[in-house]
Amino acid sequence: MTEKIEKTEAAWRVQLTEQQYHVTREAGTEAPFTGQYDDIKTTGIYRCVCCGQDLFRSKAKYDSGTAWPSFWEPVDQRSTALMTDQSQGMVRTEVRCSRCDAHLGHLFEDGPQPTGMRYCINSASLDLDTEE
Ligand SMILES: [Zn+2]
């Protein structure tokens, strides 16, 4: 069991930019095509911008044709937590960081094989650690 990270709203506000705070702590969505990781193929590992937990590898990133970074699997099933989101008149599966509850994005079942999953993730919730 991963140890949970909990911080006050004020502490998150100090640590994060306004955009990062809005997305991760208020379940916001960044505007289409604006995210810094939307259209890149750099090799590395994407970590939670809030707590640094490993979330996605660049090899699981693919061009989904949507306006946000998309992955077909997380680093580890335990790194993300899935919740039912009924906001905005839709029933969707919300993806959160399992360690600090940061809102990351949503999960859809129209991704490529082998998983058939599409993790549609906000760039603002990620921090790419590049590797050679
Ligand atoms: Zn986190």
Side-chain angles (χ1 to χ4, degrees):
M1 191 68 191
T2 323
E3 198 174 325
K4 281 273 186 184
I5 290 188
E6 290 182 42
K7 293 188 186 186
T8 62
E9 190 186 313
W12 286 124
R13 280 203 187 272
V14 169
Q15 182 190 330
L16 303 169
T17 68
E18 206 166 301
Q19 169 79 338
Q20 289 166 345
Y21 182 88
H22 174 62
V23 169
T24 61
R25 313 316 315 181
E26 300 179 324
T29 298
E30 68 199 8
F33 300 109
T34 60
Q36 59 172 328
Y37 301 129
D38 175 34
D39 194 26
I40 67 161
K41 294 186 166 65
T42 311
T43 302
I45 188 152
Y46 290 86
R47 297 205 168 97
C48 174
V49 76
C50 293
C51 74
Q53 172 160 255
D54 294 355
L55 295 175
F56 300 97
R57 287 186 206 288
S58 55
K59 66 179 172 64
K61 189 175 188 292
Y62 73 103
D63 183 4
S64 62
T66 66
W68 295 273
S70 301
F71 303 87
W72 49 265
E73 70 172 1
V75 164
D76 188 304
Q77 295 297 337
R78 287 168 301 187
S79 61
T80 54
L82 303 177
M83 338 274 287
T84 301
D85 172 12
Q86 301 194 37
S87 66
Q88 297 177 23
M90 295 177 273
V91 180
R92 292 178 295 174
T93 302
E94 179 188 1
V95 184
R96 290 193 192 178
C97 170
S98 64
R99 189 155 73 160
C100 73
D101 283 333
H103 172 79
L104 305 175
H106 290 91
L107 176 63
F108 302 93
E109 296 181 8
D110 58 6
Q113 293 305 317
T115 62
M117 294 296 176
R118 171 166 60 97
Y119 288 78
C120 183
I121 305 298
N122 291 283
S123 297
S125 67
L126 300 173
D127 184 23
L128 174 59
D129 188 0
T130 57
E131 53 195 33
E132 293 304 312

